[in-house]
Amino acid sequence: RRVSELAGGFKRMSTLHNMSNWVEKERFGLPEYLLRTCPASLREGRRLKTKFRLGCHDLRSSSCRMQLVRNAQCPCCESRESETIQHTLFECTAFEEEREVFLSRLYSVCPLARQLNDEYRCRLVMGDKLPREIEKTLYRYFIAISKLRICKTKGVRTFGSTAAEIVCRGAT
């Protein structure tokens, strides 16, 4: 019994656990979003989605699993929650403004997404079946929260002109 509990724990903590929830199991080859052309300005967002899907990202949940940091707690908010993909994208209070912009677009394209909880909303945006009309908005969202996260965790001062960079200037 203890061995099966331990094995179940490893499966839940595996970097591929999320991917098994997000990816079509019968699909072979590259996912559709990687086959489509992507504007150069949004490639960082697409790269972040791929890293999230593969489990090789910079969030604390991954860093803690690889023993690069001791604590998986989100450094961007006061919630004391683990900094998981779901928390970062849909729960972290540090990214509320950016999330609202993204979610309003998501709901206009896919009204049924409003009825989903955060777990299933995460599955939708990270999965293979994301509506193409929302892809660019998702990539912009990933880029914005990535920049904000860097500002909050590293104390970096940025003097660019994007919304995330303006917020960084005010936060440091």
Side-chain angles (χ1 to χ4, degrees):
R1 180 173 175 223
R2 284 187 163 180
V3 172
S4 67
E5 287 174 5
L6 184 63
F10 282 133
K11 282 182 184 176
R12 283 190 306 278
M13 293 176 65
S14 165
T15 57
L16 298 178
H17 172 72
N18 284 334
M19 196 165 183
S20 70
N21 289 330
W22 299 334
V23 175
E24 291 180 31
K25 291 167 182 48
E26 62 276 355
R27 177 183 57 76
F28 292 96
L30 290 173
E32 219 175 285
Y33 80 96
L34 288 175
L35 296 173
R36 291 193 278 268
T37 58
C38 181
S41 62
L42 298 177
R43 287 188 189 139
E44 176 64 13
R46 184 168 72 173
R47 187 182 71 80
L48 288 167
K49 177 176 178 172
T50 302
K51 288 183 81 162
F52 286 152
R53 285 169 54 111
L54 294 173
C56 59
H57 48 78
D58 293 334
L59 300 181
R60 290 259 178 111
S61 60
S62 178
S63 299
C64 189
R65 187 176 51 247
M66 292 184 284
Q67 299 180 346
L68 299 175
V69 297
R70 291 185 192 177
N71 185 346
Q73 183 176 320
C74 180
C76 300
C77 69
E78 303 294 321
S79 71
R80 305 187 80 126
E81 293 288 323
S82 179
E83 189 186 29
T84 62
I85 297 166
Q86 179 179 315
H87 171 78
T88 303
L89 296 182
F90 297 106
E91 300 163 2
C92 186
T93 57
F95 309 123
E96 283 180 17
E97 189 176 316
E98 291 74 19
R99 183 179 309 112
E100 288 305 315
V101 170
F102 169 68
L103 289 177
S104 68
R105 176 73 175 130
L106 176 65
Y107 298 154
S108 71
V109 171
C110 187
L112 293 177
R114 192 179 295 273
Q115 299 171 8
L116 300 175
N117 65 22
D118 290 339
E119 178 186 350
Y120 283 93
R121 217 173 278 127
C122 193
R123 286 183 182 197
L124 173 66
V125 300
M126 297 308 295
D128 289 342
K129 296 286 188 187
L130 181 69
R132 190 174 188 169
E133 302 83 18
I134 200 67
E135 221 168 55
K136 290 179 182 177
T137 306
L138 176 67
Y139 296 158
R140 284 186 199 98
Y141 177 51
F142 284 171
I143 292 166
I145 64 175
S146 175
K147 287 180 180 181
L148 282 173
R149 184 181 175 279
I150 289 169
C151 292
K152 290 184 174 293
T153 59
K154 307 270 194 265
V156 174
R157 291 177 186 245
T158 314
F159 298 101
S161 60
T162 66
E165 291 169 337
I166 291 168
V167 171
C168 286
R169 278 189 276 157
T172 57

